[in-house]
Amino acid sequence: MGLLFEEIDNQPSPIGDISLRRRRIPALGDRDIYEVKLGEEFLMSSMFYDAEIALADLGLAAVEGKALAVVVGGLGLGYTAVAALKDQRLSELLIVDYLETVIHWHQQEKVPLGKELNADPRSRYVHGSFFDMAVADPGGFDPQQPGRLFDAILLDIDHSPRALLHHSNASFYTVENLGRMARQLRAGGVFALWSQDPPDAEFMQVMDTVFINTAAHIIPFFNPFQNGEATNTIYVGVKA
């Protein structure tokens, strides 16, 4: 068995110190658990990733067509991006992250899924603010091709539309700004969002205003710390 705890990296960022840690919990078996913290707040863990995979699976399942161009907002530990690349229809994946340190962790393969993302020629890292790019006009998510349209946008940054990493993100979860983001989707394109919280009726009204065929999928998973089932939510909407 390796070390029970190791801090792999710790760097300052525009929103606070961000650290990457690896640890083992003997009661949970012989595996490494990777964690990312922002200050003292846990951002993500490789212990729980079912819903991050479901974000890609459910979002892309709602998209029709081939040669899909997809945006993932929030790189995290890479689970959503890698799951999206498993869809053989995908031709290009742009992975947008505000924290350059997180991108470097993957480029330098300090996290396990970095190797898969780096090896797939369909994927490309984009350093920038997803929320600024979402409402830019005529900018957008691809600095190399301003104004281009995408088949799907998969977002996992805030904990939920109410539990935000930064208060300035609140304006994104409105009819006006979701509508601006939707202009970067082709007709029939899909927006999908991860949330740690149960379905939010108020946010569903916003989704229903901007998109059609909306749904809030509850994703159950086992939480060993609670010794029971926990849930996340995946919101999905289709552009008319």
Side-chain angles (χ1 to χ4, degrees), residues 153-189:
I153 299 172
L154 314 174
L155 177 59
D156 176 6
I157 294 179
D158 288 316
H159 298 306
S160 78
R162 307 285 167 239
L164 310 173
L165 289 185
H166 193 273
H167 63 85
S168 64
N169 297 349
S171 62
F172 173 76
Y173 302 97
T174 62
V175 170
E176 179 182 5
N177 281 342
L178 277 187
R180 287 181 177 178
M181 180 206 64
R183 290 184 300 191
Q184 298 190 54
L185 288 169
R186 66 165 175 81

mmCIF file of all heavy atoms in Angstrom, residues 153-189:
data_model
loop_
_atom_site.group_PDB
_atom_site.id
_atom_site.type_symbol
_atom_site.label_atom_id
_atom_site.label_comp_id
_atom_site.label_asym_id
_atom_site.label_seq_id
_atom_site.Cartn_x
_atom_site.Cartn_y
_atom_site.Cartn_z
ATOM 1 N N ILE A 153 -23.587 21.494 -24.980
ATOM 2 C CA ILE A 153 -22.814 22.197 -23.959
ATOM 3 C C ILE A 153 -23.116 21.519 -22.634
ATOM 4 O O ILE A 153 -24.280 21.465 -22.202
ATOM 5 C CB ILE A 153 -23.178 23.692 -23.899
ATOM 6 C CG1 ILE A 153 -22.863 24.365 -25.241
ATOM 7 C CG2 ILE A 153 -22.433 24.379 -22.755
ATOM 8 C CD1 ILE A 153 -23.379 25.797 -25.342
ATOM 9 N N LEU A 154 -22.090 20.973 -22.005
ATOM 10 C CA LEU A 154 -22.226 20.207 -20.763
ATOM 11 C C LEU A 154 -21.509 20.974 -19.654
ATOM 12 O O LEU A 154 -20.302 21.197 -19.734
ATOM 13 C CB LEU A 154 -21.603 18.815 -20.917
ATOM 14 C CG LEU A 154 -21.962 18.048 -22.194
ATOM 15 C CD1 LEU A 154 -21.148 16.755 -22.279
ATOM 16 C CD2 LEU A 154 -23.454 17.748 -22.250
ATOM 17 N N LEU A 155 -22.242 21.373 -18.617
ATOM 18 C CA LEU A 155 -21.701 22.288 -17.613
ATOM 19 C C LEU A 155 -21.651 21.651 -16.226
ATOM 20 O O LEU A 155 -22.663 21.160 -15.717
ATOM 21 C CB LEU A 155 -22.554 23.561 -17.567
ATOM 22 C CG LEU A 155 -22.170 24.607 -16.520
ATOM 23 C CD1 LEU A 155 -20.740 25.082 -16.724
ATOM 24 C CD2 LEU A 155 -23.146 25.783 -16.569
ATOM 25 N N ASP A 156 -20.465 21.724 -15.608
ATOM 26 C CA ASP A 156 -20.279 21.261 -14.231
ATOM 27 C C ASP A 156 -19.231 22.161 -13.573
ATOM 28 O O ASP A 156 -18.046 21.836 -13.564
ATOM 29 C CB ASP A 156 -19.836 19.794 -14.201
ATOM 30 C CG ASP A 156 -19.546 19.289 -12.795
ATOM 31 O OD1 ASP A 156 -19.793 20.046 -11.833
ATOM 32 O OD2 ASP A 156 -19.062 18.156 -12.653
ATOM 33 N N ILE A 157 -19.693 23.289 -13.042
ATOM 34 C CA ILE A 157 -18.786 24.229 -12.372
ATOM 35 C C ILE A 157 -19.281 24.527 -10.959
ATOM 36 O O ILE A 157 -18.622 24.203 -9.984
ATOM 37 C CB ILE A 157 -18.607 25.522 -13.185
ATOM 38 C CG1 ILE A 157 -17.885 25.227 -14.513
ATOM 39 C CG2 ILE A 157 -17.824 26.559 -12.370
ATOM 40 C CD1 ILE A 157 -17.685 26.435 -15.408
ATOM 41 N N ASP A 158 -20.450 25.150 -10.856
ATOM 42 C CA ASP A 158 -21.017 25.440 -9.542
ATOM 43 C C ASP A 158 -21.573 24.173 -8.909
ATOM 44 O O ASP A 158 -21.862 23.182 -9.590
ATOM 45 C CB ASP A 158 -22.130 26.491 -9.672
ATOM 46 C CG ASP A 158 -21.576 27.871 -9.974
ATOM 47 O OD1 ASP A 158 -20.577 28.261 -9.342
ATOM 48 O OD2 ASP A 158 -22.144 28.559 -10.845
ATOM 49 N N HIS A 159 -21.761 24.220 -7.583
ATOM 50 C CA HIS A 159 -22.355 23.072 -6.897
ATOM 51 C C HIS A 159 -23.814 22.876 -7.322
ATOM 52 O O HIS A 159 -24.309 21.752 -7.366
ATOM 53 C CB HIS A 159 -22.282 23.260 -5.388
ATOM 54 C CG HIS A 159 -20.878 23.346 -4.866
ATOM 55 N ND1 HIS A 159 -19.921 22.383 -5.123
ATOM 56 C CD2 HIS A 159 -20.260 24.285 -4.108
ATOM 57 C CE1 HIS A 159 -18.784 22.726 -4.544
ATOM 58 N NE2 HIS A 159 -18.956 23.872 -3.935
ATOM 59 N N SER A 160 -24.494 23.968 -7.627
ATOM 60 C CA SER A 160 -25.878 23.933 -8.103
ATOM 61 C C SER A 160 -26.218 25.345 -8.573
ATOM 62 O O SER A 160 -25.426 26.279 -8.362
ATOM 63 C CB SER A 160 -26.839 23.496 -6.982
ATOM 64 O OG SER A 160 -27.089 24.567 -6.096
ATOM 65 N N PRO A 161 -27.385 25.555 -9.190
ATOM 66 C CA PRO A 161 -27.762 26.922 -9.570
ATOM 67 C C PRO A 161 -27.931 27.865 -8.377
ATOM 68 O O PRO A 161 -28.007 29.080 -8.566
ATOM 69 C CB PRO A 161 -29.108 26.716 -10.301
ATOM 70 C CG PRO A 161 -29.042 25.325 -10.818
ATOM 71 C CD PRO A 161 -28.309 24.557 -9.747
ATOM 72 N N ARG A 162 -27.969 27.323 -7.170
ATOM 73 C CA ARG A 162 -28.089 28.156 -5.958
ATOM 74 C C ARG A 162 -26.795 28.177 -5.160
ATOM 75 O O ARG A 162 -26.460 29.199 -4.554
ATOM 76 C CB ARG A 162 -29.213 27.618 -5.067
ATOM 77 C CG ARG A 162 -30.532 27.446 -5.771
ATOM 78 C CD ARG A 162 -31.249 28.752 -6.028
ATOM 79 N NE ARG A 162 -32.337 28.528 -6.977
ATOM 80 C CZ ARG A 162 -32.448 29.134 -8.148
ATOM 81 N NH1 ARG A 162 -31.549 30.032 -8.509
ATOM 82 N NH2 ARG A 162 -33.441 28.866 -8.962
ATOM 83 N N ALA A 163 -26.079 27.063 -5.114
ATOM 84 C CA ALA A 163 -24.826 26.959 -4.359
ATOM 85 C C ALA A 163 -23.674 27.238 -5.316
ATOM 86 O O ALA A 163 -23.234 26.358 -6.064
ATOM 87 C CB ALA A 163 -24.690 25.581 -3.727
ATOM 88 N N LEU A 164 -23.183 28.474 -5.302
ATOM 89 C CA LEU A 164 -22.256 28.958 -6.314
ATOM 90 C C LEU A 164 -20.823 28.996 -5.794
ATOM 91 O O LEU A 164 -20.590 29.241 -4.607
ATOM 92 C CB LEU A 164 -22.666 30.366 -6.764
ATOM 93 C CG LEU A 164 -24.137 30.547 -7.161
ATOM 94 C CD1 LEU A 164 -24.428 32.019 -7.408
ATOM 95 C CD2 LEU A 164 -24.476 29.719 -8.391
ATOM 96 N N LEU A 165 -19.867 28.792 -6.707
ATOM 97 C CA LEU A 165 -18.472 28.974 -6.335
ATOM 98 C C LEU A 165 -18.148 30.443 -6.145
ATOM 99 O O LEU A 165 -17.275 30.802 -5.354
ATOM 100 C CB LEU A 165 -17.548 28.381 -7.401
ATOM 101 C CG LEU A 165 -17.501 26.862 -7.497
ATOM 102 C CD1 LEU A 165 -16.459 26.441 -8.519
ATOM 103 C CD2 LEU A 165 -17.177 26.243 -6.146
ATOM 104 N N HIS A 166 -18.843 31.305 -6.880
ATOM 105 C CA HIS A 166 -18.666 32.749 -6.731
ATOM 106 C C HIS A 166 -20.009 33.418 -6.998
ATOM 107 O O HIS A 166 -20.744 33.008 -7.912
ATOM 108 C CB HIS A 166 -17.609 33.272 -7.708
ATOM 109 C CG HIS A 166 -17.152 34.673 -7.415
ATOM 110 N ND1 HIS A 166 -17.804 35.780 -7.909
ATOM 111 C CD2 HIS A 166 -16.132 35.151 -6.655
ATOM 112 C CE1 HIS A 166 -17.205 36.882 -7.492
ATOM 113 N NE2 HIS A 166 -16.182 36.516 -6.721
ATOM 114 N N HIS A 167 -20.327 34.438 -6.207
ATOM 115 C CA HIS A 167 -21.645 35.068 -6.308
ATOM 116 C C HIS A 167 -21.917 35.643 -7.700
ATOM 117 O O HIS A 167 -23.076 35.743 -8.127
ATOM 118 C CB HIS A 167 -21.786 36.172 -5.250
ATOM 119 C CG HIS A 167 -20.805 37.302 -5.422
ATOM 120 N ND1 HIS A 167 -21.034 38.364 -6.268
ATOM 121 C CD2 HIS A 167 -19.592 37.530 -4.859
ATOM 122 C CE1 HIS A 167 -20.010 39.203 -6.237
ATOM 123 N NE2 HIS A 167 -19.122 38.715 -5.386
ATOM 124 N N SER A 168 -20.865 36.012 -8.436
ATOM 125 C CA SER A 168 -21.067 36.596 -9.762
ATOM 126 C C SER A 168 -21.654 35.597 -10.755
ATOM 127 O O SER A 168 -22.194 35.995 -11.797
ATOM 128 C CB SER A 168 -19.745 37.155 -10.300
ATOM 129 O OG SER A 168 -18.797 36.123 -10.482
ATOM 130 N N ASN A 169 -21.568 34.307 -10.450
ATOM 131 C CA ASN A 169 -22.105 33.290 -11.365
ATOM 132 C C ASN A 169 -23.626 33.264 -11.358
ATOM 133 O O ASN A 169 -24.235 32.663 -12.250
ATOM 134 C CB ASN A 169 -21.584 31.900 -10.983
ATOM 135 C CG ASN A 169 -20.078 31.793 -11.110
ATOM 136 O OD1 ASN A 169 -19.428 32.668 -11.666
ATOM 137 N ND2 ASN A 169 -19.519 30.708 -10.599
ATOM 138 N N ALA A 170 -24.256 33.883 -10.374
ATOM 139 C CA ALA A 170 -25.711 33.787 -10.227
ATOM 140 C C ALA A 170 -26.447 34.296 -11.462
ATOM 141 O O ALA A 170 -27.497 33.760 -11.839
ATOM 142 C CB ALA A 170 -26.161 34.557 -8.986
ATOM 143 N N SER A 171 -25.897 35.323 -12.122
ATOM 144 C CA SER A 171 -26.599 35.913 -13.265
ATOM 145 C C SER A 171 -26.687 34.954 -14.443
ATOM 146 O O SER A 171 -27.531 35.145 -15.333
ATOM 147 C CB SER A 171 -25.895 37.201 -13.707
ATOM 148 O OG SER A 171 -24.568 36.919 -14.136
ATOM 149 N N PHE A 172 -25.839 33.915 -14.457
ATOM 150 C CA PHE A 172 -25.892 32.968 -15.573
ATOM 151 C C PHE A 172 -27.188 32.171 -15.566
ATOM 152 O O PHE A 172 -27.741 31.863 -16.637
ATOM 153 C CB PHE A 172 -24.699 32.011 -15.517
ATOM 154 C CG PHE A 172 -24.768 30.913 -16.539
ATOM 155 C CD1 PHE A 172 -24.493 31.154 -17.870
ATOM 156 C CD2 PHE A 172 -25.127 29.618 -16.166
ATOM 157 C CE1 PHE A 172 -24.575 30.138 -18.821
ATOM 158 C CE2 PHE A 172 -25.202 28.588 -17.103
ATOM 159 C CZ PHE A 172 -24.925 28.862 -18.435
ATOM 160 N N TYR A 173 -27.699 31.823 -14.392
ATOM 161 C CA TYR A 173 -28.834 30.900 -14.278
ATOM 162 C C TYR A 173 -30.165 31.640 -14.412
ATOM 163 O O TYR A 173 -31.101 31.433 -13.636
ATOM 164 C CB TYR A 173 -28.744 30.136 -12.957
ATOM 165 C CG TYR A 173 -27.454 29.367 -12.819
ATOM 166 C CD1 TYR A 173 -26.375 29.899 -12.109
ATOM 167 C CD2 TYR A 173 -27.281 28.125 -13.436
ATOM 168 C CE1 TYR A 173 -25.174 29.199 -12.013
ATOM 169 C CE2 TYR A 173 -26.083 27.437 -13.345
ATOM 170 C CZ TYR A 173 -25.035 27.983 -12.628
ATOM 171 O OH TYR A 173 -23.842 27.304 -12.544
ATOM 172 N N THR A 174 -30.242 32.497 -15.392
ATOM 173 C CA THR A 174 -31.435 33.290 -15.668
ATOM 174 C C THR A 174 -31.882 33.051 -17.101
ATOM 175 O O THR A 174 -31.110 32.557 -17.935
ATOM 176 C CB THR A 174 -31.137 34.790 -15.484
ATOM 177 O OG1 THR A 174 -30.124 35.191 -16.434
ATOM 178 C CG2 THR A 174 -30.652 35.088 -14.062
ATOM 179 N N VAL A 175 -33.114 33.406 -17.390
ATOM 180 C CA VAL A 175 -33.638 33.255 -18.752
ATOM 181 C C VAL A 175 -32.779 34.039 -19.739
ATOM 182 O O VAL A 175 -32.436 33.551 -20.827
ATOM 183 C CB VAL A 175 -35.110 33.710 -18.812
ATOM 184 C CG1 VAL A 175 -35.583 33.802 -20.260
ATOM 185 C CG2 VAL A 175 -36.002 32.755 -18.019
ATOM 186 N N GLU A 176 -32.403 35.250 -19.361
ATOM 187 C CA GLU A 176 -31.633 36.097 -20.279
ATOM 188 C C GLU A 176 -30.297 35.468 -20.645
ATOM 189 O O GLU A 176 -29.949 35.349 -21.832
ATOM 190 C CB GLU A 176 -31.408 37.471 -19.655
ATOM 191 C CG GLU A 176 -30.587 38.398 -20.547
ATOM 192 C CD GLU A 176 -30.322 39.755 -19.902
ATOM 193 O OE1 GLU A 176 -30.685 39.945 -18.730
ATOM 194 O OE2 GLU A 176 -29.737 40.623 -20.593
ATOM 195 N N ASN A 177 -29.522 35.048 -19.644
ATOM 196 C CA ASN A 177 -28.181 34.569 -19.950
ATOM 197 C C ASN A 177 -28.142 33.127 -20.427
ATOM 198 O O ASN A 177 -27.285 32.762 -21.240
ATOM 199 C CB ASN A 177 -27.273 34.774 -18.748
ATOM 200 C CG ASN A 177 -26.810 36.223 -18.641
ATOM 201 O OD1 ASN A 177 -26.879 36.967 -19.607
ATOM 202 N ND2 ASN A 177 -26.357 36.618 -17.471
ATOM 203 N N LEU A 178 -29.065 32.281 -19.961
ATOM 204 C CA LEU A 178 -29.158 30.950 -20.574
ATOM 205 C C LEU A 178 -29.543 31.090 -22.044
ATOM 206 O O LEU A 178 -29.081 30.327 -22.896
ATOM 207 C CB LEU A 178 -30.172 30.082 -19.841
ATOM 208 C CG LEU A 178 -29.713 29.352 -18.586
ATOM 209 C CD1 LEU A 178 -30.812 28.416 -18.100
ATOM 210 C CD2 LEU A 178 -28.441 28.569 -18.813
ATOM 211 N N GLY A 179 -30.401 32.071 -22.332
ATOM 212 C CA GLY A 179 -30.781 32.318 -23.719
ATOM 213 C C GLY A 179 -29.604 32.772 -24.563
ATOM 214 O O GLY A 179 -29.462 32.373 -25.725
ATOM 215 N N ARG A 180 -28.733 33.602 -23.982
ATOM 216 C CA ARG A 180 -27.536 34.024 -24.705
ATOM 217 C C ARG A 180 -26.624 32.837 -24.989
ATOM 218 O O ARG A 180 -26.076 32.705 -26.080
ATOM 219 C CB ARG A 180 -26.787 35.080 -23.892
ATOM 220 C CG ARG A 180 -27.460 36.434 -23.862
ATOM 221 C CD ARG A 180 -26.631 37.428 -23.065
ATOM 222 N NE ARG A 180 -27.227 38.756 -23.090
ATOM 223 C CZ ARG A 180 -26.735 39.802 -22.441
ATOM 224 N NH1 ARG A 180 -25.624 39.650 -21.712
ATOM 225 N NH2 ARG A 180 -27.325 40.971 -22.511
ATOM 226 N N MET A 181 -26.455 31.981 -23.987
ATOM 227 C CA MET A 181 -25.623 30.789 -24.194
ATOM 228 C C MET A 181 -26.219 29.899 -25.277
ATOM 229 O O MET A 181 -25.494 29.337 -26.114
ATOM 230 C CB MET A 181 -25.490 30.004 -22.892
ATOM 231 C CG MET A 181 -24.644 28.740 -23.019
ATOM 232 S SD MET A 181 -25.101 27.494 -21.797
ATOM 233 C CE MET A 181 -26.789 27.144 -22.317
ATOM 234 N N ALA A 182 -27.555 29.778 -25.285
ATOM 235 C CA ALA A 182 -28.224 28.892 -26.240
ATOM 236 C C ALA A 182 -28.021 29.341 -27.678
ATOM 237 O O ALA A 182 -28.158 28.524 -28.599
ATOM 238 C CB ALA A 182 -29.715 28.808 -25.920
ATOM 239 N N ARG A 183 -27.657 30.605 -27.878
ATOM 240 C CA ARG A 183 -27.373 31.052 -29.243
ATOM 241 C C ARG A 183 -26.130 30.374 -29.812
ATOM 242 O O ARG A 183 -25.913 30.386 -31.022
ATOM 243 C CB ARG A 183 -27.177 32.577 -29.258
ATOM 244 C CG ARG A 183 -28.466 33.360 -29.001
ATOM 245 C CD ARG A 183 -28.266 34.852 -29.112
ATOM 246 N NE ARG A 183 -27.275 35.351 -28.151
ATOM 247 C CZ ARG A 183 -27.084 36.652 -27.908
ATOM 248 N NH1 ARG A 183 -27.796 37.558 -28.569
ATOM 249 N NH2 ARG A 183 -26.188 37.033 -27.029
ATOM 250 N N GLN A 184 -25.339 29.767 -28.952
ATOM 251 C CA GLN A 184 -24.161 29.033 -29.417
ATOM 252 C C GLN A 184 -24.467 27.567 -29.695
ATOM 253 O O GLN A 184 -23.561 26.801 -30.026
ATOM 254 C CB GLN A 184 -23.030 29.151 -28.393
ATOM 255 C CG GLN A 184 -22.572 30.595 -28.184
ATOM 256 C CD GLN A 184 -21.317 30.685 -27.364
ATOM 257 O OE1 GLN A 184 -20.315 30.053 -27.697
ATOM 258 N NE2 GLN A 184 -21.337 31.470 -26.305
ATOM 259 N N LEU A 185 -25.713 27.172 -29.555
ATOM 260 C CA LEU A 185 -26.153 25.823 -29.903
ATOM 261 C C LEU A 185 -26.857 25.843 -31.247
ATOM 262 O O LEU A 185 -27.626 26.757 -31.551
ATOM 263 C CB LEU A 185 -27.126 25.287 -28.846
ATOM 264 C CG LEU A 185 -26.548 24.903 -27.485
ATOM 265 C CD1 LEU A 185 -27.687 24.654 -26.498
ATOM 266 C CD2 LEU A 185 -25.663 23.670 -27.592
ATOM 267 N N ARG A 186 -26.625 24.814 -32.035
ATOM 268 C CA ARG A 186 -27.397 24.671 -33.261
ATOM 269 C C ARG A 186 -28.827 24.288 -32.910
ATOM 270 O O ARG A 186 -29.122 23.877 -31.778
ATOM 271 C CB ARG A 186 -26.774 23.594 -34.154
ATOM 272 C CG ARG A 186 -26.842 22.187 -33.563
ATOM 273 C CD ARG A 186 -26.558 21.133 -34.628
ATOM 274 N NE ARG A 186 -26.498 19.796 -34.077
ATOM 275 C CZ ARG A 186 -27.559 19.031 -33.797
ATOM 276 N NH1 ARG A 186 -28.785 19.505 -33.968
ATOM 277 N NH2 ARG A 186 -27.394 17.813 -33.317
ATOM 278 N N ALA A 187 -29.737 24.385 -33.867
ATOM 279 C CA ALA A 187 -31.104 23.918 -33.654
ATOM 280 C C ALA A 187 -31.069 22.433 -33.307
ATOM 281 O O ALA A 187 -30.402 21.648 -33.982
ATOM 282 C CB ALA A 187 -31.949 24.153 -34.901
ATOM 283 N N GLY A 188 -31.748 22.063 -32.227
ATOM 284 C CA GLY A 188 -31.702 20.678 -31.768
ATOM 285 C C GLY A 188 -30.524 20.380 -30.862
ATOM 286 O O GLY A 188 -30.386 19.256 -30.378
ATOM 287 N N GLY A 189 -29.668 21.369 -30.621
ATOM 288 C CA GLY A 189 -28.535 21.188 -29.717
ATOM 289 C C GLY A 189 -29.000 21.096 -28.272
ATOM 290 O O GLY A 189 -30.129 21.467 -27.929
#
